Amino acid sequence: MTSARPELPEYRAVVTNPSFYAVQAVEGGVIATGTDGVMWRSEDGGVSWDIGSPGRIASLRRMAVVPGSERIVAVGADAALQFSDDGGKHWNVIASDSTAALQALHVDPRGRLVLAAGVDGLMLRSEDGGMRWQSVLLPAPASITRIVADVSGHWLLAAGAAGAIFVSTDSGLSWTPVDSGTGEAVIGLVVEQRSGDVLAGLGDGRILRSKDGGAHWSAVKTGLGYVQQLLQDSCQRGGGGFRCRQSHCPERGWWPQVVRGAGNEGGGHDSGGGDARTPYRGRGRKRPDLALR
């Protein structure tokens, strides 16, 4: 679709019947997956799209590229497990003994360990980049929606519904439940790349922060109705120090975070290491000027 008014910029969109849940940049293109196992692939920046060969008619919720390879792993409803070794043109289905939905996917930077988790405590683990999987028993039948890893690779953390948080120190072979201090769903989950602290966004608008790999948590109010997503702003070290998209940098004492959610005029907050800061996103609000160091 294009704009009918010449003074407005032109927009184009692909209208599809299935809903898209995951979009992934791959070598030479972009892949989008969603309901009905649909696989859309573009090699020209989204101008035109081809429908890939779906391995299974199932809603696919998460997708990731295995580092060091061209393999793409996708997971979803009915314990759907699929992988592609040709940039998403063709997909291989992996049999699973479960029918529970998979909602979380994690791939380690080395490209070997892949974890998938979902409802009813379902946790699956692969040590060969997603080709073969084994079941891992969680201590409780929790619904897992997010998995993150320590920046140094010492631990893994899985979180989800009803404040459930589990920690693993053996690459996901076993998991230990920890007390999050809340019964709210953990929706967003990030690890601060500089400090290693974990931030967890809750369904009631608060943010949990852990300084010890998830063993203990403290809560911070944001003023939002609920936290929809946590995004970590990227800072890169250059010739003159850190170059940031925001005026606050790690060398000034805190790592910039972006919190998106509902409430407070649909706005968001910058978060300095877990402390709520100035709202910058929402109706009637202007985002502060961004600075480069």
Side-chain angles (χ1 to χ4, degrees):
M1 297 182 295
T2 60
S3 173
R5 297 173 59 186
E7 68 273 15
L8 296 179
E10 183 179 85
Y11 296 93
R12 296 182 179 180
V14 176
V15 180
T16 66
N17 182 45
S19 297
F20 288 143
Y21 293 125
V23 178
Q24 178 68 55
V26 298
E27 185 68 25
V30 180
I31 297 177
T33 65
T35 56
D36 300 330
V38 68
M39 298 285 183
W40 287 70
R41 189 176 189 275
S42 174
E43 296 183 352
D44 54 13
V47 176
S48 61
W49 294 80
D50 295 323
I51 300 179
S53 174
R56 180 178 174 184
I57 306 302
S59 177
L60 298 172
R61 290 278 182 172
R62 296 285 185 267
M63 179 172 47
V65 175
V66 178
S69 72
E70 296 183 0
R71 177 167 301 155
I72 308 164
V73 178
V75 301
D78 298 326
L81 290 169
Q82 300 180 194
F83 73 89
S84 171
D85 284 330
D86 60 2
K89 295 179 182 178
H90 302 88
W91 293 82
N92 301 284
V93 177
I94 304 170
S96 174
D97 295 333
S98 175
T99 59
L102 292 169
Q103 306 173 125
L105 181 64
H106 171 76
V107 181
D108 76 347
R110 296 167 297 178
R112 297 285 297 177
L113 179 65
V114 184
L115 296 172
V119 301
D120 299 330
L122 175 61
M123 176 76 73
L124 300 174
R125 183 177 181 274
S126 172
E127 292 185 343
D128 59 4
M131 294 183 65
R132 291 179 294 271
W133 297 77
Q134 66 180 112
S135 297
V136 177
L137 183 64
L138 287 180
S143 177
I144 302 299
T145 57
R146 296 289 186 272
I147 304 174
V148 296
D150 177 21
V151 292
S152 60
H154 294 157
W155 49 258
L156 291 159
L157 193 148
I165 296 180
F166 301 89
V167 175
S168 173
T169 57
D170 56 6
S171 299
L173 287 171
S174 62
W175 296 82
T176 302
V178 297
D179 184 10
S180 65
T182 181
E184 292 291 330
V186 177
I187 301 174
L189 196 64
V190 297
V191 177
E192 290 184 347
Q193 297 302 298
R194 181 174 174 85
S195 67
D197 294 354
V198 188
L199 297 178
L202 301 181
D204 63 0
R206 292 180 300 160
I207 292 180
L208 297 181
R209 177 177 177 174
S210 174
K211 294 177 173 290
D212 54 10
H216 302 88
W217 297 84
S218 59
V220 177
K221 294 182 179 180
T222 66
L224 301 173
Y226 66 89
V227 175
Q228 179 180 348
Q229 190 176 13
L230 290 176
L231 304 173
Q232 187 161 209
D233 196 8
S234 60
C235 289
Q236 297 179 350
R237 186 183 294 275
F242 283 95
R243 293 174 57 247
C244 298
R245 296 198 306 271
Q246 304 218 27
S247 58
H248 299 278
C249 280
E251 61 184 1
R252 296 197 184 103
W254 61 283
W255 187 267
Q257 301 287 330
V258 177
V259 183
R260 296 185 60 197
N264 192 23
E265 298 184 358
H269 289 268
D270 282 346
S271 170
D275 298 323
R277 297 295 176 102
T278 305
Y280 75 85
R281 188 190 299 267
R283 295 185 299 273
R285 299 182 183 274
K286 293 184 178 180
R287 182 171 180 170
D289 291 336
L290 305 185
L292 289 177
R293 275 276 323 249

